[in-house]
Amino acid sequence: MANSLFLTAVPAIFLLLQIPATLILLKRLSTARDRNPPLQPLASDPQSITPQVSIVIPTLNEIERLPTCLEGLRHQAAREIIVVDSRSQDGTPEYVQKLQKEFPIPLKLVTDDPLPEGWVGRPWALHNGFLQSDPSSEWILGIDADTVPQHGLVASFVQQATIDGFDIVSLSPKFILKTAGEQWLQPALLITLIYRFGATGDRSQFTEDRVMANGQCFLSKRAKLVELNGYELAKSSFCDDVTLARAAAQRGAKVGFLDGAALMQVRMYTSMAETWREWGRSLDLKDASTPSQTLGDCLLLTAVQGLPLPILLTLLLWQYVALLPMSLAMNIWLWLNAFLVLIRVLLVFGIRGSYTDVGFGFWLSPLADPFAVFRIWLSASSKPKSWRGRTYD
């Protein structure tokens, strides 16, 4: 009797969580075919776009990554490039000063003031860059130093933003992963975003408080930033991009998130450990979400990404190795989790275009799903104490 109750009750409890979560996931994935197509570089940069854009790059000890970024911006359609340096000690400002005379686009170096109370370093640097930008620029484009801009990025981005009437819009990149550990863990972390918010460019998913954004390439109308008082609304956020985008959407701004894999590449982190530590502690997006949204996202990820593979393997061992009896509920449970694992395997092929090169670690990334979900739970339950070389109280 007790054994029969166990065979029915345990699967039923999990199914109560997993079935609704699966339906939510299927709804989010079903609209991917209707998303905006990936942006493509323009064959030439229209001169009409050139004076409209001020590019802001926040830096703190970025000497190893900034040269590649600036090289990619050398022939972009922009009025000016503003490097906002937060007192780097690795030669970053000296490098920018050397480039200023020969750079084809006006290149400004700004040292931001000491971090005020309540501000996080990145939004403070971006805020200072906005304040120092040319008032005649119609657009402010924030770009991270670890990005590799491709030819035609700015022209294509601004043109699409103008056509669609966006006030704020950002791009998803193509990721550069070099080690097997990165290729194993990073796609699993990326999938947590797709499961929560759908495919990049799919605007049918988003309500004002569920907008997605990527600060690595973040374009804003200058007039909208003036209205929002720059980055003030995201000053204390460790995911300032999403926080600002959602705050703007809630105030009536038209916000977009587009596929920019053909326009920019990014080498975010250099190892699996750094990916786990740095990206993992902001990926929960709790600074831009209510506690109930954060909890709901964690439960959803647990149900459809973290649990399916362990449950499937356990039930297969139960049935075919231990030769133990399976109740109807257990069989339903097995097939549901097999279906969820199949979805995840298919998504490996679906996100292949978001990476430059992949190895065996990438194709084995579904095995990292339980760890990725665990990392989201860890991040959601704590506040970062340090970020990009700064320590916060």
Side-chain angles (χ1 to χ4, degrees):
M1 182 63 139
N3 187 51
S4 176
L5 183 62
F6 172 82
L7 295 179
T8 303
V10 171
I13 292 171
F14 279 92
L15 288 171
L16 285 174
L17 171 65
Q18 288 190 290
I19 289 176
T22 300
L23 294 176
I24 293 172
L25 175 64
L26 291 176
K27 173 64 171 62
R28 290 175 179 172
L29 297 180
S30 67
T31 58
R33 64 183 181 277
D34 300 322
R35 69 192 184 106
N36 291 331
L39 296 187
Q40 299 299 320
L42 293 182
S44 60
D45 293 337
Q47 292 301 310
S48 59
I49 291 180
T50 303
Q52 298 181 10
V53 185
S54 290
I55 298 175
V56 177
I57 307 175
T59 61
L60 175 59
N61 298 322
E62 295 285 6
I63 191 61
E64 293 184 1
R65 300 191 282 192
L66 184 61
T68 304
C69 177
L70 287 175
E71 186 61 32
L73 294 174
R74 179 176 287 272
H75 300 295
Q76 297 287 342
R79 176 185 294 278
E80 61 182 351
I81 298 174
I82 305 168
V83 177
V84 184
D85 189 69
S86 300
R87 293 171 172 76
S88 296
Q89 302 298 312
D90 66 345
T92 295
E94 291 79 8
Y95 172 76
V96 176
Q97 289 171 341
K98 289 180 181 178
L99 283 185
Q100 284 179 317
K101 291 183 180 179
E102 56 87 19
F103 210 75
I105 301 172
L107 182 61
K108 295 169 61 176
L109 175 64
V110 174
T111 301
D112 55 7
D113 293 331
L115 201 62
E117 184 177 355
W119 281 83
V120 172
R122 188 175 182 279
W124 175 241
L126 290 166
H127 185 73
N128 277 274
F130 158 65
L131 295 178
Q132 295 288 332
S133 63
D134 191 316
S136 62
S137 291
E138 182 181 351
W139 297 92
I140 306 295
L141 175 59
I143 287 185
D144 281 359
D146 57 7
T147 60
V148 184
Q150 303 299 295
H151 179 73
L153 161 66
V154 176
S156 176
F157 198 11
V158 171
Q159 182 183 80
Q160 193 63 48
T162 303
I163 291 171
D164 290 340
F166 288 123
D167 296 300
I168 292 176
V169 59
S170 57
L171 297 180
S172 65
K174 178 168 286 192
F175 296 99
I176 302 170
L177 306 179
K178 294 185 178 180
T179 68
E182 292 173 81
Q183 294 185 5
W184 181 70
L185 177 63
Q186 203 269 9
L189 291 170
L190 179 65
I191 288 292
T192 68
L193 293 173
I194 296 174
Y195 277 15
R196 284 179 282 170
F197 305 108
T200 303
D202 184 359
R203 286 181 287 171
S204 66
Q205 304 282 0
F206 298 144
T207 57
E208 293 173 354
D209 59 348
R210 298 292 286 176
V211 165
M212 265 302 294
N214 177 26
Q216 293 165 328
C217 193
F218 191 94
L219 183 68
S220 310
K221 278 188 176 177
R222 181 182 182 84
K224 183 55 62 175
L225 281 180
V226 170
E227 179 184 323
L228 297 172
N229 193 23
Y231 282 75
E232 178 78 27
L233 294 171
K235 67 180 184 180
S236 61
S237 176
F238 288 92
C239 56
D240 55 273
D241 43 10
V242 180
T243 299
L244 186 65
R246 291 182 181 179
Q250 290 165 9
R251 287 160 175 77
K254 185 175 182 181
V255 179
F257 184 44
L258 304 175
D259 187 339
L263 298 180
M264 74 166 186
Q265 299 176 6
V266 61
R267 175 88 164 118
M268 291 175 62
Y269 306 113
T270 59
S271 67
M272 183 175 72
E274 191 179 10
T275 302
W276 173 272
R277 182 177 65 253
E278 298 293 343
W279 200 25
R281 62 181 160 191
S282 66
L283 207 55
D284 60 278
L285 306 181
K286 62 178 174 296
D287 290 349
S289 309
T290 65
S292 60
Q293 287 173 338
T294 302
L295 177 60
D297 284 347
C298 288
L299 290 174
L300 175 82
L301 291 175
T302 300
V304 298
Q305 187 181 358
L307 288 176
L309 186 59
I311 289 175
L312 178 62
L313 293 176
T314 298
L315 292 177
L316 289 176
L317 288 173
W318 178 286
Q319 184 174 23
Y320 294 109
V321 177
L323 300 177
L324 295 171
M326 295 273 287
S327 66
L328 176 61
M330 291 185 75
N331 275 289
I332 295 173
W333 194 23
L334 184 151
W335 285 105
L336 175 64
N337 283 280
F339 176 62
L340 289 169
V341 170
L342 175 63
I343 290 175
R344 177 63 178 89
V345 171
L346 292 176
L347 281 174
V348 175
F349 295 91
I351 65 173
R352 171 62 184 87
S354 295
Y355 296 90
T356 54
D357 300 295
V358 298
F360 72 92
F362 172 81
W363 301 110
L364 295 177
S365 63
L367 299 176
D369 281 3
F371 302 97
V373 174
F374 176 63
R375 187 64 184 91
I376 301 297
W377 275 102
L378 282 180
S379 180
S381 61
S382 62
K383 187 78 172 177
K385 295 291 191 295
S386 62
W387 191 266
R388 292 290 191 181
R390 277 194 170 108
T391 301
Y392 297 90
D393 294 332

